[in-house]
Amino acid sequence: MRPPAPLSPPSGLLLLLVFYPLVVVAQASSSKTESGHSTHHGDTDPDRCMRHHFVETITHSIYKCHSNMVLLARCEGHCSHTSRSDPLISFSSVLKQPFKSTCFCCKPHTSKLKAVRLRCAGGSRITATYRYILACNCEECS
């Protein structure tokens, strides 16, 4: 009696059947951020709400002062939440605000106070302060 021949399906087909469900599961998974918002793995979108750095010279036009180049940050990008407007019901003929709108904006989530020294004409110096953005978040617009 001959031993049974080993089954050997085409290796490409076997790999596809095993690999494909793993890809679908990985794409559908999501996680929670520290603030409790759900974020999907699609957060690699380069246009999403995030902090952007830029460099600028701060000036005071009245005192003729200027700084060296200063690293600043801003929040920029879109929020994937859906905006909506619901009608408000009134029992009066006057309706000051006929809708309740909900929308989300890319806003600073955390920041810290920073100061920079400006050199003025005549050798004097003044201090300018600003908020340096550490993190951005999609938050309900006010």
Side-chain angles (χ1 to χ4, degrees):
M1 188 170 186
R2 286 184 11 204
L7 293 174
S8 59
S11 61
L13 179 63
L14 180 62
L15 179 62
L16 178 64
L17 293 175
V18 171
F19 181 72
Y20 183 72
L22 294 176
V23 171
V24 172
V25 170
Q27 289 176 344
S29 68
S30 67
S31 61
K32 295 274 185 179
T33 61
E34 289 176 10
S35 60
H37 294 110
S38 178
T39 59
H40 296 280
H41 289 282
D43 284 348
T44 56
D45 176 8
D47 295 327
R48 75 186 183 284
C49 175
M50 60 190 296
R51 178 178 65 164
H52 293 269
H53 291 100
F54 63 102
V55 178
E56 194 167 282
T57 300
I58 299 172
T59 60
H60 192 297
S61 58
I62 295 173
Y63 295 123
K64 307 280 190 260
C65 306
H66 67 279
S67 70
N68 290 330
M69 298 301 268
V70 178
L71 180 66
L72 301 168
R74 69 173 163 257
C75 292
E76 186 177 334
H78 65 77
C79 297
S80 61
H81 303 321
T82 302
S83 298
R84 90 187 238 183
S85 292
D86 292 318
L88 294 176
I89 308 302
S90 174
F91 296 97
S92 166
S93 61
V94 178
L95 194 58
K96 292 182 180 177
Q97 281 193 280
F99 302 101
K100 179 187 184 294
S101 298
T102 306
C103 62
F104 291 85
C105 303
C106 184
K107 293 183 172 182
H109 181 65
T110 55
S111 64
K112 67 179 178 180
L113 188 64
K114 287 188 124 185
V116 63
R117 298 284 287 170
L118 282 65
R119 288 186 203 141
C120 305
S124 62
R125 293 180 180 257
I126 61 171
T127 301
T129 58
Y130 63 97
R131 300 294 305 188
Y132 179 77
I133 298 169
L134 299 171
C136 301
N137 211 2
C138 288
E139 297 177 9
E140 193 168 349
C141 301
S142 52

